[in-house]
Amino acid sequence: MKNNTFIPLLIAIGVALCSISCQKITDSLDTKTIDYLAVDIEAIPVLSGISSTEGLPVTLTNYTEKHQISTTLQAGVTTIDSIIPGLYTINVDGELLVGTEKYLLKGSVANVLLVPGNQHVKVNIDGAKVGPLAISEIFYAGTAPFYFRNQFYEITNNSDELVYVDGLHFANLHPTIATTNLPIWPEEDQGAYTYAQRVWKIPGKGRDYPLQPGESFTIAQFAANHKLPQYNPNSPIDASLSEFEFNMNNPSFPDQPAVDMEHVFYNGRAAKGTVPQYLTSVFGGAFAIFRIPEDESYDPVGNPNLQTRDLGTTGTTLYAKIPLRYVVDAVEAGHNESMSAAKRVPTVLDAGMTWVGATYNSLGVRRKRIGQRANGTPILMDTNNSTEDFERQVVPQFRYHGQGIPSWSRAF
Amino acid sequence: MAVMALSKPAVAQQKIKQVSPNWLEIQDSLGSWRNTANPAGLTRDQPVQFSKVQATYDIEQGDFRRPQQAQKINSQSIYGAGNTQLNDYYLQGFIRYNRQFREDATYNASLIDPFRDMPYYIIDSNASDWLNQLYTMGFDLASPVFKDKWTAGLSVDYQAASGAKQRDIRAENTQFGLSIRPGLTYQINANHVAGFNLLFATSKEESVNSNVNVYVDQGYFIHYGLGHAIPYVGSGTNMNYESEKWGAGLQYEYHGLWNLLLSTNYAIAAETANIGFLAGRTQGSILTRQSESSLRATRENTLFAHQIVLNYAFKLGEGTEYWNEFVPGLESDGYINQHKAVRSTYRNSFGEAAYTLIKKREGGYDWKLRGQASYRKREDQYLLPQSAFGMSYLNYALSFDKMISSGNATYTLGGKIGNQHSLSGDYRYGGQRADELPVQELMRSDLNFLTTDFLSIEIPFTYSLQVDNKHIHNFYVQAVGSWLDARSTEYQNRKKITLSVGAIF
């Protein structure tokens, strides 16, 4: 090689290198240092008789980084300084005295990304709706090694009135596992629905299953004594006295004495399908109980208007629409608190998320007790925020808080 | 490969027929331009033509280690290097293969090298073995002097590596890196030479996480810096690291009673850490500005060589975090970046002074005495919420090596004793997860290690046999034992033995 070829070669290499993008370096050089944000919260009262939300407590929570800022709403727009950029859930929840009337008001917005340029948040404030029934305990994580048939759901009458649970619907919502890849639902629904993968209902003619205040019942995936050797002796729960079960006609796990739930909907059909068990995610699903108003009918199989597919995918799976106004209670669970950034349940139903932090750890979630009735039955916390309302990583137990046993239960 | 051709006879710059490890050590130590980043100056060191092959086995173990370092490391490597003349051009090259078995390494499930100053990675709690393989190769090409003043050079290094974490959460990593350094030198007059070189480097590392036991989901964290990490449950995630680096170097050499070589390098680099292999979900990036300066002063006569080396290095890293939002839909690009900001900084400075006195003899040295002292300071900050990690230490060491001849064989036995004294150390975490693993176990353990005083002892031994006095045919065996003794109740020690067999021809 001669010098007169070597030097041009070096020059060519230099030119080639210079033509290679320096995009990463220039992008980094253009980046500013992080700073606190000032965020405006505009709380809009939608309940008649309420014109101002001044004085209500507001909390901004960044679940992934565990930051929380609480303050009190001012008249009009409330400016909150010192917000670290991030994904926040904003909750307004409190009592307001208007004249001599005391109002319990709530409003929330989940997972709003507060970053420069997006510093104004509107929150509709409505009257707090607390249903008479509350999902009081859920055990979804299963037991090591890989035993998931001991899942159960406990529902408590948290009101002061007798409730008949005949016809109460139970649904697990889509996505069945927490994900930031959320579905796209029809625009015309205008946020009036939540969407279920599978729907069941409690049988009965209307007055077969009364539930007195403070009483509870459970629905088991498989209502057997899971501590038996043929199942899993490490199971924390014996579900043989569960009141209801999700019987999927699996001969290996045959029908138990518990009353079978009626199957309502799965992928556009009333049939249960071929899945051998009703397994909800051991990471934590989202669940709703809902009741159909007496003057309305609900037929997500026969009425195509109550079905939809996820428009964000090419999948053909059909999901049942559940009007939000039907919902009595809803609870959302996820892998851990970081998955609060992947909420899929409307905040009007559940402003938070609960978790047990692992799978097959024999731990569940349980609603907190805030008081008791004269007969010793519990009054449970129900602020429509499962992050606050639930104790996490508890050892599952039926009627932990001393709930009563309904007279029609085999456990009575 | 070009390297394999290096053993062919060629015209050497110097006609020396006894090249031993001892002699090569002197050449590397006293040589000027070979200690710079500028390949154009290599011929100014008047290199001797030789080829070298070496096989090395080493084993290292002990509890005195950083938390992400393996409890035990077993490593084997094969190394080959050589140089030759291609017409008037000088060419040198090397190739190395290294296989590492690292046992019980913790708090890392996404990086082959967890100490490469990348704050964005996966932390899990399962101590695991890693099986790593590393291939490196490169060459330096230097032109003859043209127009009585100039030389030009080109250096290219390539590296490829694979790594596999052996326990859930598993990681399968692949990595490559390429660096290119063109350079020029200019002879100002008989006593003065100036040099200039550029640097471009790029690298990529991909990490694929999975669980073999799909029924047991594992807890893990994505780390963002100084213990700030977000917990998740599952089988980890896939990380994709990509970097680019630009830099330049200046050199100045003076020949006189003392030969002086002053060199300084500056580089700027950026590396992004993405979740998955599609665009748009960058978790973080680190921008690094790095400068290194060195002064080497050497004075030689027929009996002795004196050398003073002063080094200073400064490195400033800025960690940028990204706030991304997933936009669903068939037409959507998925994750969209909505904001990014510098959220952590990493400041490192290092200074070192060393003096070496060599009693020369034919084919190497009679004895060598070396004293060195170094100072390191690290100041890292996470800006919001505010956390800080800082430490500094002073390290000093004294070594002596003596060569004994017996016929065609030589024996070199040495000893080095050193001490590291911690001057400061502090870690303050200002986030909301103070009781979680990244803070309590990773960061606090790292601080404990970095602020622990220790005594170091190293004993090198080399047996070298000149097989043929007419040619460069040398066979050698080297053994080095080292021992770090921690002055702490928390740690005991760390020991390492290295055995090498090689030939120079």
Side-chain angles (χ1 to χ4, degrees):
Chain A
M1 198 183 322
K2 300 295 183 188
N3 288 330
N4 56 5
T5 58
F6 189 66
I7 299 302
L9 176 64
L10 279 184
I11 293 170
I13 290 170
V15 170
L17 293 180
C18 290
S19 66
I20 296 172
S21 169
C22 308
Q23 193 64 43
K24 291 181 176 60
I25 293 173
T26 52
D27 281 354
S28 296
L29 288 170
D30 288 342
T31 306
K32 294 178 179 171
T33 300
I34 192 170
D35 203 355
Y36 287 111
L37 290 177
V39 173
D40 294 334
I41 307 290
E42 186 179 0
I44 304 166
V46 296
L47 188 67
S48 63
I50 304 293
S51 59
S52 170
T53 55
E54 185 178 3
L56 283 174
V58 59
T59 303
L60 289 77
T61 307
N62 179 332
Y63 286 105
T64 53
E65 298 191 22
K66 282 180 107 172
H67 305 312
Q68 193 169 68
I69 294 177
S70 297
T71 186
T72 303
L73 289 177
Q74 310 297 312
V77 173
T78 304
T79 301
I80 303 174
D81 295 323
S82 305
I83 299 284
I84 297 174
L87 199 64
Y88 285 83
T89 292
I90 300 167
N91 270 307
V92 178
D93 184 3
E95 291 179 347
L96 204 62
L97 197 63
V98 180
T100 57
E101 294 288 323
K102 185 186 281 185
Y103 290 84
L104 183 58
L105 299 171
K106 290 181 71 66
S108 63
V109 180
N111 294 330
V112 55
L113 188 62
L114 298 179
V115 293
N118 187 30
Q119 296 163 256
H120 189 106
V121 184
K122 293 180 179 177
V123 186
N124 288 337
I125 307 298
D126 203 349
K129 287 192 296 184
V130 178
L133 299 173
I135 298 172
S136 49
E137 182 158 339
I138 309 175
F139 175 49
Y140 54 81
T143 299
F146 327 129
Y147 186 75
F148 51 73
R149 299 185 192 280
N150 50 2
Q151 292 181 327
F152 75 86
Y153 313 85
E154 182 188 72
I155 296 168
T156 297
N157 181 354
N158 204 31
S159 75
D160 294 326
E161 297 171 354
L162 170 68
V163 175
Y164 291 95
V165 297
D166 308 52
L168 181 73
H169 285 62
F170 178 95
N172 66 300
L173 306 178
H174 185 73
T176 54
I177 186 168
T179 171
T180 53
N181 186 354
L182 293 174
I184 294 181
W185 302 119
E187 206 169 314
E188 60 270 21
D189 288 359
Q190 297 185 325
Y193 299 92
T194 188
Y195 302 85
Q197 182 216 38
R198 193 185 287 271
V199 180
W200 303 79
K201 77 173 180 180
I202 293 174
K205 299 188 182 89
R207 291 179 180 269
D208 291 349
Y209 301 110
L211 202 63
Q212 296 291 343
E215 288 183 348
S216 70
F217 66 95
T218 56
I219 313 172
Q221 183 200 121
F222 176 51
N225 181 2
H226 299 282
K227 295 172 181 285
L228 293 175
Q230 65 267 38
Y231 300 128
N232 188 327
N234 295 323
S235 174
I237 202 77
D238 168 5
S240 60
L241 291 179
S242 197
E243 282 73 22
F244 300 98
E245 75 166 341
F246 299 109
N247 178 19
M248 291 291 282
N249 306 321
N250 180 346
S252 301
F253 298 91
D255 191 16
Q256 298 294 307
V259 176
D260 287 353
M261 295 285 284
E262 282 184 20
H263 190 262
V264 175
F265 175 94
Y266 176 65
N267 195 16
R269 298 187 180 93
K272 294 174 182 174
T274 56
V275 184
Q277 66 272 320
Y278 178 54
L279 168 65
T280 61
S281 170
V282 291
F283 285 105
F287 310 98
I289 53 175
F290 62 101
R291 189 187 282 285
I292 318 305
E294 287 183 3
D295 55 346
E296 294 185 32
S297 64
Y298 178 72
D299 180 10
V301 174
N303 181 357
N305 292 327
L306 290 174
Q307 301 173 353
T308 183
R309 59 179 203 85
D310 175 3
L311 305 181
T313 72
T314 56
T316 57
T317 303
L318 292 171
Y319 302 97
K321 297 181 185 179
I322 302 171
L324 297 184
R325 59 193 173 86
Y326 288 5
V327 177
V328 178
D329 192 28
V331 176
E332 180 167 10
H335 307 55
N336 64 3
E337 62 194 307
S338 303
M339 295 309 286
S340 297
K343 257 189 78 62
R344 68 275 211 203
V345 173
T347 57
V348 68
L349 300 181
D350 183 357
M353 182 183 276
T354 188
W355 60 88
V356 296
T359 54
Y360 300 104
N361 62 357
S362 289
L363 298 176
V365 295
R366 178 182 298 135
R367 198 176 285 274
K368 295 171 185 170
R369 175 189 177 121
I370 55 172
Q372 68 176 38
R373 296 177 181 80
N375 64 359
T377 57
I379 299 171
L380 305 176
M381 180 185 282
D382 189 2
T383 65
N384 284 351
N385 184 338
S386 56
T387 309
E388 304 298 329
D389 292 348
F390 277 78
E391 293 177 86
R392 299 179 282 270
Q393 298 179 320
V394 299
V395 177
Q397 183 181 328
F398 290 178
R399 300 184 178 91
Y400 176 85
H401 289 307
Q403 289 99 323
I405 303 173
S407 58
W408 45 268
S409 169
R410 290 184 305 110
F412 186 72
Chain B
M1 298 297 301
V3 176
M4 293 297 102
L6 300 181
S7 58
K8 292 178 182 175
V11 178
Q13 296 283 330
Q14 290 186 51
K15 297 289 186 186
I16 290 179
K17 292 176 181 173
Q18 289 191 23
V19 175
S20 64
N22 187 304
W23 188 88
L24 285 178
E25 187 187 333
I26 294 286
Q27 293 301 301
D28 287 342
S29 172
L30 300 183
S32 295
W33 289 90
R34 70 187 65 188
N35 290 297
T36 74
N38 190 346
L42 285 172
T43 50
R44 297 188 185 277
D45 281 352
Q46 297 188 322
V48 171
Q49 187 225 328
F50 69 96
S51 294
K52 174 182 173 181
V53 292
Q54 178 175 302
T56 301
Y57 171 84
D58 62 55
I59 185 166
E60 175 181 351
Q61 63 182 328
D63 69 343
F64 185 46
R65 60 180 175 128
R66 296 183 72 174
Q68 292 169 313
Q69 199 171 4
Q71 172 74 20
K72 183 176 179 182
I73 301 172
N74 184 317
S75 166
Q76 305 92 43
S77 62
I78 302 283
Y79 173 74
N83 57 9
T84 191
Q85 295 288 134
L86 290 177
N87 297 327
D88 294 334
Y89 286 81
Y90 172 75
L91 176 68
Q92 67 178 28
F94 76 98
I95 184 168
R96 175 186 286 118
Y97 167 74
N98 175 243
R99 182 183 185 277
Q100 272 191 358
F101 186 61
R102 303 192 327 211
E103 297 180 44
D104 284 345
T106 48
Y107 312 128
N108 167 37
S110 63
L111 294 170
I112 292 176
D113 175 10
F115 305 115
R116 64 177 181 85
D117 295 336
M118 166 47 68
Y120 309 103
Y121 59 92
I122 306 298
I123 298 173
D124 72 332
S125 59
N126 293 335
S128 174
D129 299 344
W130 278 78
L131 185 59
N132 297 340
Q133 296 187 87
L134 180 68
Y135 306 82
T136 47
M137 61 192 78
F139 71 85
D140 302 292
L141 181 66
S143 76
V145 177
F146 54 95
K147 295 188 176 175
D148 297 329
K149 299 281 187 185
W150 295 88
T151 62
L154 176 67
S155 176
V156 177
D157 290 331
Y158 176 78
Q159 168 188 310
S162 65
K165 182 170 179 278
Q166 305 290 313
R167 184 177 172 193
D168 290 353
I169 296 172
R170 316 271 166 152
E172 279 190 49
N173 283 40
T174 52
Q175 184 265 344
F176 87 89
L178 175 72
S179 78
I180 301 171
R181 282 178 285 125
L184 291 170
T185 64
Y186 177 73
Q187 180 101 35
I188 299 165
N189 59 36
N191 293 333
H192 302 272
V193 180
F196 171 74
N197 72 278
L198 290 174
L199 161 69
F200 170 76
T202 182
S203 73
K204 179 178 172 67
E205 179 169 6
E206 291 185 355
S207 171
V208 177
N209 283 164
S210 64
N211 284 346
V212 167
N213 184 346
V214 296
Y215 294 104
V216 177
D217 293 289
Q218 304 287 337
Y220 68 96
F221 295 81
I222 298 181
H223 185 251
Y224 292 87
L226 278 76
H228 290 263
I230 306 298
Y232 294 94
V233 177
S235 56
T237 188
N238 298 333
M239 297 297 293
N240 182 20
Y241 302 95
E242 294 177 323
S243 79
E244 61 196 23
K245 182 177 186 179
W246 283 92
L250 287 172
Q251 301 84 29
Y252 167 72
E253 184 182 32
Y254 168 75
H255 291 282
L257 185 60
W258 286 80
N259 289 333
L260 302 178
L261 188 112
L262 178 65
S263 69
T264 184
N265 297 297
Y266 176 82
I268 185 166
E271 180 168 12
T272 55
N274 306 286
I275 286 185
F277 305 118
L278 299 175
R281 206 176 172 191
T282 305
Q283 291 297 291
S285 65
I286 181 118
L287 177 74
T288 306
R289 297 176 176 91
Q290 189 171 359
S291 67
E292 298 168 347
S293 297
S294 171
L295 173 65
R296 307 174 70 84
T298 308
R299 182 177 177 180
E300 284 189 78
N301 58 34
T302 52
L303 289 179
F304 289 97
H306 306 260
Q307 185 179 58
I308 298 168
V309 176
L310 301 175
N311 289 317
Y312 176 75
F314 178 75
K315 189 174 179 181
L316 174 63
E318 292 180 346
T320 294
E321 289 183 27
Y322 292 68
W323 285 263
N324 304 316
E325 197 167 41
F326 185 79
V327 178
L330 297 175
E331 306 298 323
S332 169
D333 290 331
Y335 284 90
I336 308 293
N337 177 245
Q338 301 290 11
H339 181 57
K340 60 177 181 174
V342 174
R343 203 170 180 183
S344 53
T345 60
Y346 307 87
R347 188 182 296 265
N348 261 286
S349 49
F350 174 78
E352 181 185 40
Y355 170 72
T356 307
L357 175 62
I358 297 170
K359 173 73 162 58
K360 298 165 73 174
R361 60 176 285 181
E362 188 181 359
Y365 57 76
D366 185 26
W367 52 260
K368 183 181 74 172
L369 177 69
R370 177 179 167 83
Q372 66 185 90
S374 63
Y375 169 80
R376 183 180 292 280
K377 186 176 185 182
R378 176 176 157 188
E379 297 168 291
D380 300 345
Q381 281 199 315
Y382 199 81
L383 303 177
L384 282 182
Q386 197 168 43
S387 298
F389 186 103
M391 64 92 189
S392 61
Y393 65 72
L394 186 65
N395 185 297
Y396 42 92
L398 187 67
S399 65
F400 182 77
D401 299 82
K402 169 71 177 169
M403 187 174 87
I404 300 166
S405 295
S406 174
N408 283 344
T410 62
Y411 304 87
T412 306
L413 179 64
K416 179 180 179 182
I417 185 164
N419 188 57
Q420 182 160 304
H421 177 61
S422 174
L423 301 173
S424 64
D426 188 30
Y427 172 51
R428 283 173 285 113
Y429 174 78
Q432 301 297 315
R433 299 183 183 277
D435 56 344
E436 296 183 4
L437 179 148
V439 175
Q440 290 298 333
E441 297 186 30
L442 172 60
M443 295 302 295
R444 298 210 182 281
S445 298
D446 206 23
L447 180 73
N448 284 346
F449 174 85
L450 293 170
T451 55
T452 295
D453 294 352
F454 65 86
L455 174 75
S456 65
I457 296 171
E458 186 177 293
I459 299 178
F461 171 76
T462 303
Y463 166 76
S464 169
L465 179 66
Q466 185 68 27
V467 178
D468 179 355
N469 286 328
K470 295 180 181 174
H471 301 93
I472 298 174
H473 285 166
N474 186 281
F475 167 79
Y476 63 90
V477 177
Q478 284 182 321
V480 181
S482 62
W483 174 278
L484 301 182
D485 189 54
R487 291 173 179 159
S488 158
T489 54
E490 196 164 340
Y491 303 106
Q492 293 183 24
N493 56 57
R494 184 90 175 166
K495 42 195 174 290
K496 181 176 182 180
I497 294 176
T498 303
L499 297 171
S500 302
V501 178
I504 303 167
F505 51 92

